Structure formats: C-alpha cells, structure tokens
Amino acid sequence: MSSRIELLNAGLLRSDGRRPYELRTLAINFAPQGTADGSVTYSHGLTQVRVSVLGPHEPKQGTRRETFHDRATLNVEVQLAPFGVGERRRRGRSDKRLLELAASIKSTFEPVVQTHLYPRSTIDIFVHVLQLDGGLLPACINASTLALATAGIPLFDFVCAISGGVYGTQPLLDLTTVEENDVPSVVVGVMPRTGRVTLVQMETRLHMDRFEEVFRVACDAGKVLWSEMRDALRERTGDLVDKLEAGPGMVVAKETET
Amino acid sequence: MLSFISFSSQSTDSTYHRSARHHPDVEDLMDVDDDDFSGSEPRLTCPGETITSSQAFMRGHGTYVDKEDVIASVVGTVERVNKLVTVRAIRTRYNPEVGDLVVGRITEVQPRRWKVDANSRQDAILMLSSVNLPGGVQRRKLESDELQMRNFFEEGDLLVAEVQAFFSDGAMSLHTRSLKYGKLRNGQLVTVPPILVRRLKSHFISLPCGVDLILGLNGYIWVSKQAKDSDQGEEGFDAEAVYSNQNDDIDSATRAAISRVSNIIRVFADHFVPLTDTLLLEAYEWVIEQEGDAKRLLLGDTGDALVAAMSLRC
C-alpha cells in the first residue's frame, strides 16, 4: 500500500489525529424542513447528510401500482450535492452508485419500520448529501433512523451503522475518505436493543481472520452511537413536550386517549 | 402558490453536540415499576425502549410486545390507563376518530366518490351519497348526479366535513350532511401539526374582527371572512349558493384581519403552542396594540415576543 498520507503512525494516531477506535464528532440538528413530517441534518465529522421523511401518505399517481394491500411501501431517493465532493460534478438521479445506495437504505429499513400498520400507503425518505468525507452509507442510515423517529413512524428499534476497516492487523473505526480509499472496509448496521444486524456491506477484499474482529468492534461502536442518538432525540422530544404542556392558556388536563 | 416555510430562529439552539464520554456505569437501563407511571413528569420514550413487562400490563398504540416486554415504537410520552400502556407520539400524521371535524382538499373525482386529502395516512373518501344534493336535503340520487359530480366538487376544492366511518384498510369516510359543512370559500388555509388542535366543543370560531375560523382536527385551519347568517330553509337548498366557486367581494380591512390571524396561527404552530379560541382572541388584541403590518409577525423576534406575551397573560 503506497500512500502519501500515513494512515497510522507509530504512536497509533491516524491521519486526522484520532485513535484507532475513536469516532468522529456527531452533530444532530432537528430543525424542521418545509413540509416534511420528520427531518434531520446529521454530521459525522465532515460528512453531512440531510434526510427528510414524508409520510405515510397516499401514493402519488405514478407509483400507485407498487402499493401493497396490507402494508406500506418505502421509497428512498438519494441526491448528492455537486459541491459535496472534492471535484464538482452534477450527478443525476439515476447515477448507479446513488441508486445502489438508495436500495441499500431501503432494504435496511424494510424490516425495521412497522409497515403492517399502514396498508396502501407510501413512506418517502429523501436523502440529500451535503458534504462527503467517508462513511456515507452509515451517515445516511443513522440520519434516516432519526428522521423516521421524528416523523412519528413506528420502528421496531433504531438502526445504528458504522464503517470499520483494517490497517495491517489493526482494526479502525469510522473511516474518512482518505482511509476508505486505501484500506479494506465494511459497513455494519445493528439494532442496538437486541444486537441484531440488519446490514453488512463490503465492497473491498478483507482477509477472513480479520473480519471477525472488525465486525465485533463495529457492533460495539453501534451501541455507543445508539446512546448518543437516543439522547439527542430525547432532548428534542423533551423540548417539544415542555412547549406543548406549558403553552400559554393551556389547562393541564390529562387526556386519557388510547 | 406561495407557501410559508417555518422560522429558522430555533435552529441555533437545537443542534446537539456531544463530545464528552461517560463512564459505563453511568448508563443504566430503566427499571420500571408501578410508581414510575404516577409521577407528574411525562416519561419520554424512543423506539426500541423497554417500558415494562408484558405480564402486568396490556399494550396499546405506539408499542409492541417482544417476548416478555412491552417496547415503545414511537418517540413520545408514555401514558397509562389502568392496565393499558400506550405511547402517544409527539409528532405524527393525523389519527382520525369517528365524529371528528376535518378540513380537506379534493384530489380526485372517481365514479360516485371523491378522494379527499386530509393530512392522514391515506386519502379520505367522500361518497356521493354522503353529500347534500341541491333541491332538498332528502332528494334521491339520480343518475344525472353521477355524471355531474364536478358540478358539486372539483379537484382542488376545499371542504369541511365530518368523519362518518372507516373502511377496512383504515381510510376515513366523510359526510357533509349538515348545512354548516360543505365547500369553503372567501378565505385562506393554514397548516399546523395535528397534535396542536385539541378536541373542543365547537370547532367553528368567530372572532370579533370579522374573521371566521374552522379548526380542523387534522391540522388544516380555515380562516375566512365572516359568513352572513342567511336564513336557509329546509326546502330551499340552493345549489347555486352552496356549491358555487365564486368568492364574495372582501374589503381590505377584512383581508388584513385574515392575514393577521393566519400569521398568528403560523407563529403559534412554529413555537409548538396548542391552539384555543381564547388564545387566538388575546393574541389578536396584542397584535392590534402593536400596530404593525401583518407581515411583521413573520419576523422571528415579533413571533417570540408574541408567544412570551401570551405566556404572561395566561
């Protein structure tokens, strides 16, 4: 492996100064976007993704034949901003990589969203990638989980995803673009409550002996992400509940609606 | 059509940053017993969070059972009624109940029925047999009515109706079989999250400034010029008047009042304040005292000042 940037130096520091198992800074912003039912802007280091969720709603005229009589359909669309990557390039909606990304997100969430509650409806997930610095699929999945939760769509559990790789024999977590280009990597998505894995994706070649270690470390990292995401969501919900309960002119009468 | 995108004044403090690390022992799972439910603090949940054991409690909406635990599936507050545990989502699409008053927009005209968008999971259905036909309330449906459905409601029309029943897949069935329901005109539609519209005794509110409000429980609110009370006898159900698409002439003072009320509603929706008629009355008086343009309400600080003033008064 010849690279101009040293990915892991003798003192076990990576190119951006992190330790091998250290994750990048998370920033989660729940500001409402237009008419979306749920929206979140999620940053993982320099990778920034905005996800808007619309639904469940009546399917539009063109997609009506895809509806199921007993459950909802998920529709995922991914768009990459031209200024998001180093070289500025306009990518159309039918770009193969983006379509593949959308398909991965859709298959990750099909067993997680309780679609049996919404027959003949559609749930739209619109993903806009604003900045890209490695870890695109994990960021999209984490942001989609938060957006679906904010939209009030019932989920069986969170899905927390993280990318992992191996440099020599040392497993690394949360890879940046520089590291992804050089090092074999795997993306793991877990449902933290039960520890079940909903997504394992690898496009490079990784030695079998190394795989187990990376996989286990990535699953543990998923649990850490889960506590962060849960706290952010709880803070936001607490904020809304306080405004709702303590609104001006409100008589606090507990409604017992089932 | 111009639409209003919400304020961004809150985005600065809603970004969540955490770079601190916790000792593993600090995080502990919630141990639930009966006492937890009787507290005055609302208990917040996230999807995948265990609420309690399913042996003692039954599960309701917003939860599911896995082995022996009742687990929340939405983000919201836990509510308990005797042995039933439910989670009420803090932000969700409108959940219809029979007898609710909703404001909707016609999206499609189908044989003998209309499809109405009512901010719910599926479009609601308005059957031809559920509307008042001109020439008497009890008139039988003729075949010519089926061919002239667009004379009654067309795509894009707004109407107020009541939920009559549900279809097997959960779609609402609406009816307008009352003189106060039907097509809407002379006004403006404002959309708010459905959870902010509480169930009141009457959803038809009349403000003293000459503005009428219809608070649809699905979050669609109709702000219009006050309707004159015309005596509508039972026999003379005039189709020309009820199904007409012609707006009346509205003078500029009433237009300004309608704009002010719409903006007040948007401000409250953005600050997540539940809407009641007394609140809107007080807010309108406050806005009149400020003597500003209706547009000024849309600025961030004016909106914050309004909400703060209302909290002080009530």
Side-chain angles (χ1 to χ4, degrees):
Chain A
M1 292 174 278
S2 61
S3 55
R4 276 166 286 139
I5 304 172
E6 189 182 34
L7 291 177
L8 199 65
N9 69 6
L12 280 190
L13 286 176
R14 289 151 78 173
S15 52
D16 52 359
R18 285 186 289 149
R19 292 275 162 211
Y21 292 168
E22 195 178 325
L23 304 177
R24 292 179 283 179
T25 328
L26 266 186
I28 301 173
N29 186 339
F30 288 111
Q33 298 288 335
T35 55
D37 290 303
S39 66
V40 72
T41 308
Y42 175 93
S43 302
H44 207 151
L46 288 177
T47 303
Q48 194 172 53
V49 164
R50 174 179 296 164
V51 176
S52 300
V53 167
L54 215 61
H57 62 86
E58 180 91 4
K60 295 289 171 266
Q61 198 70 30
T63 57
R64 192 153 297 179
R65 60 189 100 87
E66 294 167 5
T67 52
F68 298 104
H69 72 281
D70 56 347
R71 56 190 180 89
T73 41
L74 279 176
N75 175 34
V76 182
E77 279 180 25
V78 181
Q79 273 186 308
L80 178 54
F83 48 81
V85 195
E87 10 164 299
R88 186 191 174 86
R89 194 158 67 90
R90 273 203 69 197
R91 286 161 184 81
R93 272 174 195 241
S94 53
D95 185 49
K96 282 285 180 349
R97 285 217 51 201
L98 296 180
L99 285 179
E100 201 184 314
L101 192 66
S104 312
I105 298 173
K106 181 173 164 168
S107 59
T108 309
F109 281 104
E110 295 233 298
V112 176
V113 175
Q114 293 187 353
T115 50
H116 58 91
L117 295 173
Y118 302 125
R120 291 205 182 91
S121 306
T122 305
I123 300 173
D124 288 324
I125 304 177
F126 298 117
V127 181
H128 299 271
V129 183
L130 301 171
Q131 269 173 219
L132 186 50
D133 183 31
L136 178 58
L137 183 56
C140 291
I141 288 177
N142 293 339
S144 302
T145 307
L146 287 167
L148 284 168
T150 328
I153 294 176
L155 307 172
F156 283 112
D157 199 357
F158 276 68
V159 182
C160 300
I162 190 83
S163 61
V166 171
Y167 182 75
T169 55
Q170 171 66 46
L172 302 174
L173 275 183
D174 198 7
L175 308 177
T176 58
T177 315
V178 168
E179 290 162 348
E180 266 180 8
N181 289 339
D182 258 343
V183 140
S185 62
V186 60
V187 176
V188 178
V190 297
M191 291 168 68
R193 191 182 67 85
T194 47
R196 282 203 280 232
V197 177
T198 65
L199 172 81
V200 180
Q201 185 165 310
M202 187 155 71
E203 291 172 348
T204 54
R205 288 205 294 214
L206 181 61
H207 196 283
M208 239 172 49
D209 298 339
R210 306 274 154 255
F211 178 76
E212 189 187 336
E213 206 183 338
V214 182
F215 183 74
R216 259 182 229 298
V217 173
C219 288
D220 290 338
K223 293 225 168 64
V224 170
L225 271 179
W226 176 49
S227 62
E228 298 288 311
M229 283 161 64
R230 207 178 34 166
D231 289 338
L233 204 52
R234 207 175 277 161
E235 194 179 307
R236 157 85 171 167
T237 316
D239 203 27
L240 287 180
V241 168
D242 287 337
K243 285 187 194 163
L244 199 62
E245 306 272 320
M250 276 316 299
V251 177
V252 183
K254 278 282 168 225
E255 296 190 70
T256 54
E257 46 172 323
T258 50
Chain B
M1 192 172 78
L2 290 174
S3 62
F4 170 68
I5 312 288
S6 59
F7 295 114
S8 56
S9 57
Q10 298 172 313
S11 59
T12 46
D13 44 70
S14 62
T15 307
Y16 173 81
H17 278 278
R18 272 262 284 241
S19 43
R21 285 180 302 180
H22 289 300
H23 193 269
D25 287 346
V26 172
E27 319 261 341
D28 51 5
L29 284 174
M30 264 160 293
D31 198 9
V32 175
D33 45 351
D34 217 3
D35 297 337
D36 276 3
F37 288 123
S38 47
S40 55
E41 282 267 326
R43 187 147 152 239
L44 306 170
T45 56
C46 291
E49 224 169 87
T50 310
I51 306 177
T52 180
S53 114
S54 65
Q55 313 221 310
F57 292 96
M58 285 193 300
R59 72 158 200 92
H61 290 304
T63 60
Y64 66 97
V65 173
D66 185 30
K67 296 197 191 102
E68 298 214 342
D69 296 318
V70 173
I71 300 160
S73 59
V74 288
V75 175
T77 51
V78 178
E79 291 181 357
R80 183 183 76 98
V81 177
N82 298 332
K83 289 284 180 192
L84 180 70
V85 174
T86 63
V87 178
R88 188 173 68 145
I90 196 68
R91 198 193 161 107
T92 177
R93 287 248 155 179
Y94 167 57
N95 277 326
E97 308 266 337
V98 175
D100 280 355
L101 184 127
V102 295
V103 172
R105 196 185 285 274
I106 305 278
T107 55
E108 256 189 84
V109 181
Q110 291 181 346
R112 285 194 299 276
R113 62 176 66 177
W114 291 274
K115 284 280 191 109
V116 180
D117 161 38
N119 205 19
S120 182
R121 303 171 210 138
Q122 278 174 282
D123 281 351
I125 296 183
L126 178 65
M127 308 288 301
L128 178 60
S129 48
S130 307
V131 304
N132 283 330
L133 299 166
V137 190
Q138 304 294 330
R139 182 164 80 76
R140 264 186 85 87
K141 186 160 55 83
L142 302 172
E143 200 178 291
S144 54
D145 291 326
E146 291 178 28
L147 301 172
Q148 289 175 28
M149 283 178 69
R150 281 203 169 78
N151 288 351
F152 305 133
F153 291 112
E154 228 185 352
E155 285 94 339
D157 284 344
L158 281 164
L159 53 87
V160 56
E162 198 182 334
V163 178
Q164 186 176 42
F166 290 110
F167 285 89
S168 53
D169 56 3
M172 300 182 263
S173 175
L174 304 175
H175 77 89
T176 58
R177 280 214 175 269
S178 168
L179 292 173
K180 53 185 181 169
Y181 301 144
K183 194 183 281 198
L184 296 170
R185 56 186 82 81
N186 300 334
Q188 203 179 40
L189 185 75
V190 184
T191 309
V192 305
I195 199 176
L196 297 180
V197 184
R198 303 279 164 127
R199 284 198 169 84
L200 308 164
K201 267 210 298 271
S202 167
H203 288 261
F204 294 89
I205 298 169
S206 208
L207 296 180
C209 46
V211 171
D212 258 355
L213 277 176
I214 302 181
L215 296 176
L217 279 157
N218 56 340
Y220 287 175
I221 297 178
W222 180 250
V223 186
S224 68
K225 175 185 131 178
Q226 199 144 51
K228 289 190 289 293
D229 297 311
S230 52
D231 12 18
Q232 290 237 351
E234 280 294 316
E235 356 84 45
F237 190 67
D238 192 9
E240 296 306 310
V242 177
Y243 289 120
S244 95
N245 287 324
Q246 198 70 14
N247 273 345
D248 301 337
D249 278 331
I250 310 177
D251 59 332
S252 48
T254 319
R255 282 176 197 250
I258 293 177
S259 305
R260 273 200 204 96
V261 175
S262 301
N263 287 342
I264 291 172
I265 296 174
R266 288 193 183 102
V267 166
F268 282 138
D270 235 58
H271 286 84
F272 224 69
V273 174
L275 300 169
T276 56
D277 45 353
T278 45
L279 177 67
L280 290 168
L281 271 165
E282 300 232 352
Y284 190 78
E285 282 165 19
W286 186 90
V287 167
I288 293 291
E289 283 165 30
Q290 299 297 308
E291 285 178 3
D293 213 5
K295 287 194 301 243
R296 263 197 55 214
L297 273 171
L298 295 181
L299 296 173
D301 359 330
T302 326
D304 291 338
L306 169 62
V307 177
M310 290 302 112
S311 322
L312 287 175
R313 275 195 206 184
C314 311

